[in-house]
Amino acid sequence: GESVGLHLPTLSVQEGDNSIINCAYSNSASDYFIWYKQESGKGPQFIIDIRSNMDKRQGQRVTVLLNKTVKHLSLQIAATQPGDSAVYFCAESWGNTPLVFGKGTRLSVIA
Amino acid sequence: DAGVIQSPRHEVTEMGQEVTLRCKPISGHNSLFWYRQTMMRGLELLIYFNNNVPIDDSGMPEDRFSAKMPNASFSTLKIQPSEPRDSAVYFCASSTGGSTEAFFGQGTRLTVV
């Protein structure tokens, strides 16, 4: 029979606009959060991380926001470019446990 | 550093055959992880090692799967016998341990026919 694939949420953004990708994490004890970018045929690549003692962290063109009250994480990409098109994953960790990944969001940049 | 190196990049095998996936972590990293990625289940942790010792293999699907890390620079994931439902992309990742960034290899795309 036909298998049902994982339906990834998709965000379509016009080139040059800002993108916001959201993630709800599961464990209130998580103290480390990370965003990865995965392009087709490649492994996940680190974008930015944040620890639970912070609520915001900025990188080059990217900002991660953490709201521990509602267990929500977001990734903001400024001036989105075609090269930003990929699947984005959030991941969480607590103590020394390995990263647990969310299901991912596909970002599609319209040129 | 060349990053995490996995081999082969692609593997096509017949059902029932043994498959061995290989990983060379980044030098100096003491944690190594094997993940599996499928459309149905996303990225799942199969097993991880700290200082070459398996810490948690609860993600290994069944006894057909086994993993070893004989030294700090090499790990294998073996499937015997392989089944079509094992078809997936298998990633190896390494880190300095604890709550830190994990560096991923390019993955091995396994197809079992």
Side-chain angles (χ1 to χ4, degrees):
Chain A
E2 184 180 7
S3 62
V4 178
L6 184 68
H7 174 67
L8 286 180
T10 298
L11 175 66
S12 294
V13 176
Q14 202 74 33
E15 181 180 358
D17 287 353
N18 297 334
S19 303
I20 300 176
I21 301 171
N22 296 304
C23 175
Y25 63 91
S26 59
N27 191 337
S28 57
S30 291
D31 55 12
Y32 179 71
F33 306 87
I34 189 167
W35 281 99
Y36 281 90
K37 172 186 180 183
Q38 187 177 24
E39 296 173 285
S40 181
K42 296 185 178 180
Q45 277 184 291
F46 170 85
I47 302 173
I48 192 168
D49 58 2
I50 188 169
R51 297 194 182 273
S52 58
N53 60 350
M54 302 173 69
D55 52 23
K56 180 179 180 179
R57 190 160 187 234
Q58 288 185 287
Q60 188 177 15
R61 278 203 309 121
V62 294
T63 301
V64 56
L65 299 177
L66 174 63
N67 185 332
K68 294 182 287 293
T69 303
V70 295
K71 293 191 288 185
H72 183 267
L73 195 65
S74 68
L75 175 71
Q76 300 178 2
I77 305 173
T80 312
Q81 302 168 0
D84 295 327
S85 294
V87 177
Y88 290 80
F89 293 94
C90 66
E92 62 185 302
S93 170
W94 51 94
N96 287 322
T97 62
L99 295 169
V100 175
F101 283 80
K103 297 302 183 188
T105 296
R106 185 179 303 280
L107 175 65
S108 177
V109 181
I110 305 163
Chain B
D1 199 316
V4 175
I5 300 172
Q6 292 186 244
S7 64
R9 288 295 311 277
H10 303 273
E11 176 82 34
V12 181
T13 191
E14 291 185 345
M15 183 173 63
Q17 296 299 304
E18 177 180 295
V19 175
T20 300
L21 311 182
R22 296 172 174 81
C23 175
K24 176 176 165 52
I26 292 173
S27 177
H29 283 189
N30 59 356
S31 294
L32 183 141
F33 313 90
W34 283 101
Y35 285 87
R36 178 172 69 175
Q37 187 174 40
T38 61
M39 287 295 292
M40 289 290 290
R41 302 172 70 92
L43 263 169
E44 304 173 274
L45 178 69
L46 299 178
I47 185 171
Y48 78 100
F49 297 82
N50 275 353
N51 297 315
N52 312 341
V53 176
I55 302 301
D56 183 358
D57 66 354
S58 59
M60 296 285 260
E62 46 198 272
D63 291 346
R64 298 184 297 105
F65 285 67
S66 62
K68 293 182 179 179
M69 192 165 185
N71 57 63
S73 59
F74 184 66
S75 178
T76 59
L77 177 68
K78 186 177 293 187
I79 308 172
Q80 166 63 19
S82 57
E83 296 183 3
R85 61 192 167 123
D86 302 329
S87 297
V89 181
Y90 291 81
F91 287 103
C92 176
S94 70
S95 78
T96 54
S99 293
T100 58
E101 173 192 357
F103 293 78
F104 282 77
Q106 295 280 53
T108 295
R109 180 174 294 278
L110 173 65
T111 303
V112 183
V113 298

